[in-house]
Amino acid sequence: MRLAWVFGFALMVGAAGADTVSTFKLDNGMDVVVIEDHRAPVVVHMVWYRIGSADESPGHSGIAHFLEHLMFQGTKEVAPGDLSKIVSAQGGSDNAFTSLDYTAYFQRVASDRLDLMMKLEADRMRNLNLTEEDVTTERQVILEERNERTDSDPGALLGEQMAAAQYMNHPYGTPVIGWRHEMEALSRQDALDFYQANYAPNNAILVVAGDVTPEEVLAMAKVHYGPVPPSDLIKPRIRPTEPPQLAERRMVLADERVAQPYVIRTYLAPERNPGDQRQAAALKLLAELLGGNPTTSVLARALQFDTQKAVYTAAFYDGLSLDADTFGVIVVPVPGQGLQETEEAMDAVLTKFLADGVNAEDFARIKAQVRASEIYGRDNVQGLARTYGAALSIGLSVQDVQDWADILQDVTEDEVMAAARMVLDRKQAVTGWLTKEEAAQ
């Protein structure tokens, strides 16, 4: 098949870094991104599918993650489990992960093994071979994974319940791993239907980072991914939207296994959008100001040092999602202090911050730390591949990724405070208490 391609010119990131990125699109719709880094003869090969748990049909929660596991069960050419053995035999490593918005598969190998990695990944893109035995065995594996990572962890259970309350209509309220009763019913046909509809080059992004040239990556992509036919079953990613949230939701999860009680609150927050990332950047800096540093952030100073009401505080925001994200704060009280007093102390700090505004000295320090973090992050070729892959999977562009560092530096104190007044709205918040059974009683 002839492949039309457009050579993307190198894009640079100001003073925060210099990623040399080339982009192509194959005739079958597959996007190709090449990130050059010639410091070591190593390459990271990733295939990202624009499909995640939030794209699952009702009643089939967990199918995206389930299929991720099943993708290692082999094809007509590769026996079950052999793909990872082949990668390991080449001195490399491989893995995969599923999120709300995407699913990705990757290998890290010597750069002269890239051609083999493409051959293996292109093979399982459309030639997955599943037996009933494979499905039965792997379904038990994901159920056990839920046991270990969620059902045996009170904090994970609280997070799951809070997400379900945070999103009243949007599928982000469903856990990536799935609800147990629906996981138990996932079938071979469910997996095949999901695979055949969504795993195709026109729903995928190939990201190659490391000691390669754009020309050689394109040549390999033509050979291995070029012949894979596109799918006509891929649907637009149109999801239910959130209605206006008019009342705060609150919950207490009491469990005798809790070792350390805490208060956590999440607020509905805007995501990063193509060509429009300033508000998200302001929220990122707000999270850093409130709880990014364990000693100098607003919450840490007030609650861990000045009043000594907390042993740990944090604030968090990512924004790297297709739809509305969350902004969160968490406070772990000192032993013996009740969660009511802890929440009141947390709210007092947030109220004072909204009244006083941003400390200019703190703001300058945070910006310097963020810039340093951006620079250090570009020192890791696998981290770079993940940064670009995740962003492109949710609709951001290469230019958006490379503008991000400069936008963070350009955000003003007034923009941060406007973002704070917008996001810290209790009407669109979920407050959770994690506690021991006896404390709740």
Side-chain angles (χ1 to χ4, degrees), residues 54-123:
D55 302 299
E56 297 164 342
S57 59
H60 295 86
S61 66
I63 189 64
H65 174 251
F66 187 30
L67 180 58
E68 176 215 310
H69 279 247
L70 292 170
M71 285 288 283
F72 291 87
Q73 290 304 313
T75 66
K76 293 179 181 178
E77 302 295 327
V78 180
D82 274 9
L83 187 145
S84 293
K85 292 177 183 177
I86 293 170
V87 175
S88 180
Q90 305 302 312
S93 60
D94 74 318
N95 214 326
F97 50 88
T98 305
S99 83
L100 294 162
D101 295 311
Y102 48 75
T103 308
Y105 302 82
F106 68 92
Q107 300 87 32
R108 180 184 174 91
V109 293
S111 51
D112 62 359
R113 303 295 193 271
L114 177 60
D115 189 78
L116 176 59
M117 298 304 106
M118 285 199 190
K119 178 182 178 181
L120 292 169
E121 202 64 72
D123 179 39

Side-chain angles (χ1 to χ4, degrees), residues 134-152:
D134 294 334
V135 171
T136 300
T137 300
E138 212 58 44
R139 186 170 52 233
Q140 193 55 46
V141 170
I142 62 169
L143 287 168
E144 186 55 35
E145 184 177 332
R146 182 181 167 90
N147 283 340
E148 293 179 1
R149 297 186 180 183
T150 304
D151 296 335
S152 63

Side-chain angles (χ1 to χ4, degrees), residues 331-373:
V331 177
V332 180
V334 295
Q337 179 176 279
L339 294 185
Q340 181 65 46
E341 182 182 351
T342 302
E343 183 180 344
E344 289 171 356
M346 179 183 78
D347 283 330
V349 174
L350 296 177
T351 299
K352 187 175 188 300
F353 175 81
L354 289 171
D356 294 349
V358 175
N359 178 285
E361 212 173 284
D362 289 344
F363 196 52
R365 186 187 68 256
I366 291 295
K367 281 193 172 184
Q369 291 171 348
V370 167
R371 180 171 285 273
S373 177

Side-chain angles (χ1 to χ4, degrees), residues 300-311:
R301 282 175 177 169
L303 299 180
Q304 293 175 233
F305 298 100
D306 293 350
T307 63
Q308 298 184 359
K309 290 179 177 291
V311 296

